[in-house]
Amino acid sequence: MRELFVLLKKGNKPALWASIINATISLIKGIAYFITGNVAMFAEMMHSIGDMANQFFVFIGSALSKKAPTDKFPNGFARLVNLVLLGAVIIVGILAYETIKEGIHHILHPPEAGSWLWLNLTVLGVAAILESFVLYKAMKEVVKDIGQENVKGMEVVKVSLANLGGAKPATKLVFLEDMVATAGALIAMISILIATYTPFHTAEGYASVIIGVMLFYVVGRIFLDNAAGVLGVADEEMEKKIGEFVFEHPEVRDIKKLMVMKEGEELHVELKLEFDPDMSIEMIDHVLDGIEKKILNQRGVTEVIIESDKDDDQLSWDPGKNEV
């Protein structure tokens, strides 16, 4: 139990905050839905419940993935976060289906313009503000993940949107879910105003369908990213970066093997370099030590396996094409 608490302290903090805030939002939306019966509010309630569950899974998965390797699992638990998120996809998929189904029912059987206008708008407005707060925290975490902590203010928005692909899996999920949640709250507010002040009473149903489709988009992104993570996916950008500074050492003749594998939030590097056969073992070890230290200083890298071999006079690594 003590180990569990230690691991939980290492969990993804934005995911925990997002889960707590979405639990509060889903409760408020649920009360509003049971009072008003508004279908757009139902869609938003389901959306917030899905976000809450997903982000809680992210927090737990990111924490447990930090567990040290054991005799039974010598490769560690880094990919556990990917497995947990694949399970969370099922929950969000069910909620997305229910949201779309309820929206279609509302379109086919539209009710008269409802009351409780200001209650609905107030609840959704508060939800949008809270979601945007979490979204901004997720944006700051993206900036932190890519090593640009000095970025401040509104510049955070621009940098995070441009570099989302470089964020950790947990951070990326929180970002996507809260971006969709913020947009969903605004769409629901607009649909309620349209349904109230125009003859287009099915607007809330269409809003529910749109929110459900956005949920399915999140499901697709989560599934694809984490299925690749479970299978083991290469980090080509880091491979290129390592390849470039390896050749800064004139003693290195060729890169026989270079593989950077994503293991959850960690990067594992395997490297095999070729040297002049006449070089001394002492000199080769000195070069390898310097390269290993530089690789371990790269963000996210936790393990480096590096070997040496004599030059076979055949070029295996083309720096221009970044291929082995």
Side-chain angles (χ1 to χ4, degrees):
M1 184 62 70
R2 185 177 179 181
E3 183 186 13
L4 177 61
F5 283 120
V6 172
L7 289 172
L8 289 177
K9 290 180 180 179
K10 300 178 182 179
N12 186 274
K13 297 301 187 296
L16 178 61
W17 273 107
S19 179
I20 293 171
I21 290 176
N22 273 297
T24 304
I25 293 173
S26 60
L27 179 62
I28 295 172
K29 289 177 180 177
I31 293 171
Y33 168 67
F34 285 115
I35 292 174
T36 66
N38 184 280
V39 70
M41 187 66 72
F42 171 81
E44 276 298 292
M45 178 188 70
M46 298 294 275
H47 191 168
S48 294
I49 292 173
D51 286 352
M52 174 194 68
N54 238 349
Q55 289 154 354
F56 182 72
F57 280 131
V58 169
F59 171 69
I60 297 297
S62 65
L64 296 181
S65 68
K66 304 295 192 303
K67 182 177 173 62
T70 63
D71 292 338
K72 191 172 183 179
F73 299 99
N75 291 327
F77 298 84
R79 296 190 190 187
L80 184 60
V81 64
N82 301 117
L83 288 171
V84 170
L85 290 177
L86 285 177
V89 163
I90 299 173
I91 296 175
V92 182
I94 293 171
L95 294 175
Y97 167 75
E98 290 295 332
T99 301
I100 292 175
K101 186 177 75 170
E102 189 70 17
I104 292 173
H105 175 76
H106 189 90
I107 293 171
L108 297 176
H109 307 284
E112 294 295 324
S115 53
W116 307 100
L117 173 65
W118 293 110
L119 174 62
N120 287 324
L121 293 180
T122 300
V123 169
L124 291 171
V126 170
I129 293 171
L130 292 175
E131 294 284 11
S132 61
F133 168 74
V134 178
L135 177 59
Y136 185 72
K137 287 184 73 68
M139 288 178 172
K140 291 178 69 175
E141 194 69 15
V142 170
V143 170
K144 181 180 177 181
D145 286 350
I146 62 174
Q148 297 189 29
E149 292 95 334
N150 58 329
V151 176
K152 304 294 181 182
M154 293 306 295
E155 189 69 17
V156 170
V157 178
K158 179 181 177 180
V159 173
S160 63
L161 287 171
N163 296 278
L164 182 60
K168 295 178 180 178
T171 305
K172 188 183 298 184
L173 173 63
V174 175
F175 181 98
L176 285 173
E177 288 196 329
D178 282 290
M179 182 173 65
V180 172
T182 304
L186 296 175
I187 290 172
M189 291 173 70
I190 293 171
S191 72
I192 290 172
L193 288 171
I194 292 174
T196 302
Y197 293 110
T198 73
F200 187 42
H201 299 315
T202 58
E204 293 169 16
Y206 284 104
S208 182
V209 171
I210 292 171
I211 293 169
V213 170
M214 289 193 300
L215 275 172
F216 269 124
Y217 168 77
V218 173
V219 167
R221 283 294 302 268
I222 296 170
F223 176 80
L224 291 175
D225 286 351
N226 290 282
V230 169
L231 293 172
V233 61
D235 188 326
E236 296 181 355
E237 184 177 347
M238 183 60 74
E239 287 180 355
K240 181 179 179 181
K241 186 175 182 180
I242 291 174
E244 288 174 352
F245 70 66
V246 162
F247 278 112
E248 291 175 0
H249 297 266
E251 302 88 351
V252 177
R253 292 290 185 85
D254 193 14
I255 299 177
K256 188 70 174 180
K257 177 182 179 182
L258 173 53
M259 183 171 64
V260 181
M261 294 294 293
K262 291 182 179 180
E263 299 277 349
E265 298 179 355
E266 302 174 355
L267 295 177
H268 293 189
V269 180
E270 292 187 28
L271 186 62
K272 188 172 184 179
L273 306 179
E274 293 184 351
F275 294 88
D276 189 322
D278 296 328
M279 277 187 68
S280 67
I281 295 176
E282 183 180 359
M283 178 62 73
I284 291 174
D285 286 343
H286 177 72
V287 174
L288 293 180
D289 286 344
I291 292 173
E292 183 177 5
K293 288 178 182 178
K294 191 165 184 179
I295 293 175
L296 285 171
N297 285 330
Q298 302 303 307
R299 182 171 295 273
V301 176
T302 58
E303 181 184 39
V304 178
I305 299 174
I306 185 168
E307 302 177 62
S308 64
D309 199 359
K310 65 179 181 180
D311 186 15
D312 60 4
D313 295 321
Q314 293 182 355
L315 187 65
S316 300
W317 178 268
D318 184 346
K321 296 183 178 179
N322 187 33
E323 294 178 354
V324 177

